[in-house]
Amino acid sequence: MAAVALRSCRRGLSHILSNGGLAALSPQRLEGVRRHKSTVQYASRPDLPKLAYRSVKGKSPGVLFLPGYGSNMNGMKAEALEEFCVSLGHSYLRFDYTGHGASEGVFSEGTIGTWKKDVLYVLDELVEGPQIMVGSSIGGWLMLLAAIARPEKTAALVGISTAADHIVTLFNALPLETRKEFEEKGEWKQPTKHSEDGLYKFSIDFLREAENHCVLQSPIPVTCPVRLIHGLKDEDVPWHISMQVAERILSPDVDVILRRHGQHRMSERDDIKLMVYTIDDLIDKLTTLV
């Protein structure tokens, strides 16, 4: 059963956090992160849009960051993880899904299946060896799908506000008549404060395709270490989804870490510290096992 836990840091990480590094992650004090910023590269794929990514070489296990819906690889969590991996000498890759950020493609034409293929391409072609996948929101859903498809490339999982099945679950919870109205219109609009126009717009085709990738109806065949971080004040994705994921994952090593004042994006300084501590502990655990 999942436990609420946070382990201690190692190898002078507290020194890194308190000397102009991750502890200084306010919007006005990100120069330490920018100094380590990698350059944007583009992966060409036959008959598919190019994927934009940033990577640094280093030791195994590597860390792979999966952003949220409509987000990109330049957020504070993604940049903080790069600085952290550089400081420890571990490889790191962050990227934009098709239709997101600097990647090619049309955002409105993307699906859960489209973005799952993006993650699998990155695992197959752009990184070496097993990865600690860190998925934010819908990225947490995608990391589960990728771990099921590529167990040999998955060293551990860290979910931040994991949104497994959330879009489908939310839509299916609507009254039948309301659902029929949206189905006739061909689009479902969901209020959000994370979009410029205050709305996420999901086509009915998107929702139907997403149903093919739901993971919470049965045991999740993932056996690596899993850490799920969620804020109790998350107004977008309820924290109990992380509990549902923890209950269904087959791994014997699953922790759920709940932040009393944490919100959906988990981008406050202490939220990012917690994420880094958690990944640092996993690296320690995985390298000790080897």
Side-chain angles (χ1 to χ4, degrees):
M1 181 59 185
V4 179
L6 174 59
R7 305 178 196 278
S8 60
C9 61
R10 64 190 172 90
R11 293 181 302 200
L13 179 59
S14 58
H15 177 77
I16 297 169
L17 291 172
S18 60
N19 286 274
L22 299 173
L25 287 176
S26 65
Q28 298 80 20
R29 301 179 65 191
L30 277 167
E31 292 307 315
V33 175
R34 294 193 181 103
R35 281 198 298 272
H36 295 301
K37 200 168 184 177
S38 52
T39 57
V40 178
Q41 302 177 69
Y42 293 89
S44 297
R45 303 179 293 171
D47 303 319
L48 289 173
K50 289 181 181 178
L51 289 182
Y53 68 99
R54 296 175 180 268
S55 67
V56 292
K57 299 290 186 181
K59 296 179 292 187
S60 184
V63 177
L64 172 61
F65 183 76
L66 312 182
Y69 178 82
S71 188
N72 59 61
M73 61 178 167
N74 296 322
M76 289 181 66
K77 293 190 295 292
E79 294 204 341
L81 277 183
E82 180 167 308
E83 185 189 14
F84 165 67
C85 288
V86 167
S87 72
L88 288 188
H90 281 262
S91 67
Y92 177 67
L93 188 143
R94 48 186 165 124
F95 74 104
D96 291 333
Y97 308 122
T98 297
H100 289 64
S103 287
E104 292 182 344
V106 180
F107 175 69
S108 61
E109 295 176 0
T111 65
I112 298 299
T114 299
W115 303 325
K116 173 187 172 182
K117 288 180 181 177
D118 293 344
V119 180
L120 295 183
Y121 177 85
V122 170
L123 285 173
D124 292 341
E125 304 295 336
L126 300 183
V127 299
E128 296 181 4
Q131 302 292 306
I132 298 174
M133 281 191 276
V134 183
S136 178
S137 192
I138 208 170
W141 185 0
L142 293 169
M143 79 176 182
L144 292 169
L145 295 171
I148 293 168
R150 299 289 189 275
E152 74 283 358
K153 296 300 292 280
T154 307
L157 300 178
V158 178
I160 312 294
S161 309
T162 299
D165 301 8
H166 181 55
I167 299 168
V168 174
T169 302
L170 210 57
F171 183 76
N172 289 340
L174 296 173
L176 181 59
E177 290 302 315
T178 305
R179 271 183 285 153
K180 285 183 177 179
E181 289 177 13
F182 286 123
E183 287 169 356
E184 290 172 2
K185 294 177 182 176
E187 185 179 63
W188 176 44
K189 296 179 180 180
Q190 177 68 11
T192 178
K193 55 187 176 184
H194 303 304
S195 174
E196 288 184 5
D197 59 3
L199 291 170
Y200 281 149
K201 300 174 183 178
F202 302 107
S203 72
I204 298 304
D205 287 341
F206 176 93
L207 292 166
R208 287 173 178 161
E209 195 276 342
E211 288 180 343
N212 298 324
H213 304 286
C214 288
V215 297
L216 294 179
Q217 291 86 3
S218 58
I220 302 173
V222 170
T223 58
C224 64
V226 178
R227 305 291 179 263
L228 301 166
I229 303 173
H230 218 124
L232 294 179
K233 295 190 181 298
D234 189 336
E235 297 178 354
D236 298 276
V237 179
W239 60 266
H240 65 74
I241 290 181
S242 285
M243 299 301 293
Q244 290 176 320
V245 171
E247 289 168 357
R248 286 161 177 75
I249 282 182
L250 296 181
S251 172
D253 185 2
V254 182
D255 288 344
V256 178
I257 304 167
L258 300 177
R259 295 282 290 164
R260 181 178 179 183
H261 299 294
Q263 300 184 31
H264 182 63
R265 288 195 168 176
M266 297 291 288
S267 292
E268 297 297 323
R269 186 183 70 179
D270 287 342
D271 297 332
I272 292 176
K273 280 186 180 182
L274 173 60
M275 175 186 67
V276 170
Y277 281 135
T278 303
I279 296 167
D280 183 69
D281 179 66
L282 282 170
I283 291 175
D284 192 33
K285 181 186 186 77
L286 294 166
T287 53
T288 300
L289 287 174
V290 173

